[in-house]
Amino acid sequence: MTGNILASHPPLPTPFGCAMLSAQGDNVDAINNTTRLTDDERMNRLRLIRSDNIGPRTFSSLLNHFGSARAALERLPDLARRGGASRPGRICSEDDARAELSGSQKIGVRLLAPGEAGYPPRLAMLDDAPPLLGVRGTLDVLIRPMIAIVGSRNASGAGLKFASQLARDLSEAGFVIASGLARGIDQAAHRASITGGTAAVLAGGHDRIYPPEHEDLLAELLHSGAAISEMPLGHVPRARDFPRRNRLISGVALGVVVVEAAHRSGSLITARIAAEQGREVFAVPGSPLDPRAAGTNDLIKQGATLITQASDVIDAVEPIMERPIELREPDDDERFDFEPEASDRACIVNLLGPSPISLDDLIRMSGASPTTVRVVLLELELAGRLERHGGGLVSLI
């Protein structure tokens, strides 16, 4: 299916084979060990992200706006009231947060913030990066360069063989293989890269593995690899959790390889999210007669890079690896604490509807300052009235 890339491709830089890359490889100097939360701040951040109507973007806005998780927690009821909530949403208690922290420690899960050692550096660059990521296993692999491999759960024999060969070759070249621990292509990619290190991205909590028959695979890969999840312990994955999981698969990686995917498959969602995140998207061509290749063939038509061997992936990502990784800095104007004028709030709410609209369009059409628009959106979201979409779009529920 593909030759040995060590023979067909020039030798990679020496740091590629190291457990932790230096600046010559995937540059993590900009964020490695730059953050260290106190125990109290970690607990308060956990309380904040586990509270009602708060996702990663809302969490980030609150933290930037108020400076600390504790201050944000104190303001949640008032913000929800201003957004039109009849009653404030549930705020995670200190007891519940302590219980989750304790339960996580018992099974070897660490809850890390962006910028802390072990948090995948490319994931930390995203504006919807998990505020606290549950990580387990050999954490060093999470800061090495990753390639995601995804595809059909009902994969063909040829697809499974290619996914295994590709994962093995990329692993031998120094890459960590990221995937979703699903049946089919995911499973093949994980198994072929266990020795070199592979990262499993979970849709549920660390104690609720899906599918259940892959618990043994997860236990095996944790010896030299790692598992990550943004979900709390005890969370059983639902259908809507898998697209959220997919953004993490692409988010940790330099690029995403789709081996087989039918139309409307989860793998195509991963590819779309990867493109939105600025990741490279690769697709393996397949027979036009096989519906499992319909999605990948369409990706190629839409501009995805066609690959037939590991060196195709390496050639595309090597230039990216030379660029330093830098965390997104919060906007200075997000830090001011004020209540928008009633007229501004009414204008912004009136511009919103069931059809998604961008933040830039809201600012331009309302004539309000960017800070005012962000605060109004924050109020609406905490009141459970706002939905956020990909590409920075929002709509009114």
Side-chain angles (χ1 to χ4, degrees):
M1 190 70 68
T2 184
N4 189 319
I5 64 170
L6 299 180
S8 62
H9 193 81
L12 295 168
T14 300
F16 237 61
C18 300
M20 299 180 66
L21 299 181
S22 71
Q24 185 177 351
D26 206 3
N27 191 329
V28 299
D29 292 345
I31 65 171
N32 194 25
N33 294 320
T34 59
T35 302
R36 177 62 182 171
L37 300 185
T38 65
D39 290 343
D40 282 346
E41 179 64 11
R42 196 178 309 278
M43 182 184 71
N44 286 325
R45 290 193 183 193
L46 182 59
R47 290 183 62 201
L48 187 59
I49 192 57
R50 298 294 188 243
S51 297
D52 283 354
N53 300 322
I54 295 180
R57 288 188 178 91
T58 307
F59 178 99
S60 179
S61 294
L62 287 166
L63 203 62
N64 295 335
H65 201 68
F66 297 110
S68 72
R70 179 175 291 279
L73 286 164
E74 293 172 354
R75 295 299 303 276
L76 289 183
D78 181 54
L79 289 168
R81 176 190 58 78
R82 283 161 40 180
S86 58
R87 58 182 181 180
R90 181 193 63 86
I91 296 176
C92 178
S93 68
E94 291 188 10
D95 288 343
D96 286 345
R98 287 197 182 97
E100 182 174 345
L101 286 168
S102 175
S104 298
Q105 291 172 356
K106 287 179 181 178
I107 62 173
V109 174
R110 297 175 60 187
L111 295 175
L112 301 180
E116 288 195 292
Y119 195 107
R122 293 193 174 274
L123 183 61
M125 298 169 64
L126 304 181
D127 59 4
D128 61 349
L132 286 176
L133 185 69
V135 299
R136 181 165 53 139
T138 308
L139 302 191
D140 285 354
V141 304
L142 295 175
I143 65 168
R144 287 168 49 198
M146 297 193 207
I147 298 294
I149 298 178
V150 297
S152 174
R153 288 175 171 81
N154 181 30
S156 68
L160 293 172
K161 183 178 179 181
F162 183 84
S164 297
Q165 185 65 54
L166 181 68
R168 187 175 300 109
D169 288 346
L170 288 171
S171 180
E172 289 175 357
F175 289 95
V176 172
I177 302 303
S179 198
L181 203 70
R183 303 178 181 96
I185 298 298
D186 291 22
Q187 177 186 12
H190 283 308
R191 290 198 182 280
S193 56
I194 283 180
T195 301
T198 182
V201 185
L202 310 179
H206 275 276
D207 56 345
R208 292 294 184 268
I209 305 306
Y210 183 86
E213 64 264 27
H214 285 177
E215 289 184 3
D216 290 345
L217 171 59
L218 179 63
E220 184 179 357
L221 70 82
L222 288 176
H223 292 297
S224 54
I228 66 173
S229 174
E230 66 179 330
M231 295 302 185
L233 294 183
H235 183 88
V236 178
R238 303 154 297 181
R240 65 184 182 185
D241 296 322
F242 289 93
R244 290 185 61 180
R245 185 276 310 269
N246 292 349
R247 90 182 196 287
L248 303 188
I249 294 176
S250 56
V252 301
L254 291 152
V256 175
V257 179
V258 184
V259 178
E260 285 185 341
H263 285 306
R264 299 181 180 178
S265 70
S267 299
L268 296 186
I269 294 175
T270 308
R272 174 182 58 78
I273 295 172
E276 292 174 353
Q277 294 171 336
R279 305 303 192 249
E280 296 293 313
V281 178
F282 306 98
V284 179
S287 168
L289 301 177
D290 189 343
R292 290 169 292 197
T296 49
N297 290 339
D298 279 352
L299 285 176
I300 293 169
K301 293 177 184 177
Q302 295 164 20
T305 301
L306 184 154
I307 69 158
T308 58
Q309 56 188 359
S311 59
D312 296 333
V313 177
I314 296 172
D315 288 340
V317 301
E318 276 185 321
I320 304 171
M321 294 176 58
E322 297 172 0
R323 305 170 195 162
I325 298 174
E326 297 179 1
L327 286 178
R328 184 182 66 90
E329 292 294 330
D331 295 334
D332 290 338
D333 62 1
E334 287 186 0
R335 296 186 180 277
F336 295 104
D337 185 14
F338 73 101
E339 182 170 353
E341 297 288 340
S343 58
D344 286 336
R345 182 183 289 109
C347 178
I348 294 166
V349 172
N350 186 60
L351 289 170
L352 290 164
S355 298
I357 185 173
S358 71
L359 175 64
D360 289 342
D361 284 341
L362 281 175
I363 294 170
R364 176 175 54 81
M365 294 177 181
S366 68
S369 70
T371 303
T372 298
V373 174
R374 290 190 185 100
V375 171
V376 171
L377 295 181
L378 184 62
E379 294 170 352
L380 291 171
E381 188 164 20
L382 292 174
R385 299 176 60 195
L386 189 81
E387 182 176 2
R388 294 189 183 270
H389 308 270
L393 301 176
V394 296
S395 65
L396 205 59
I397 297 175

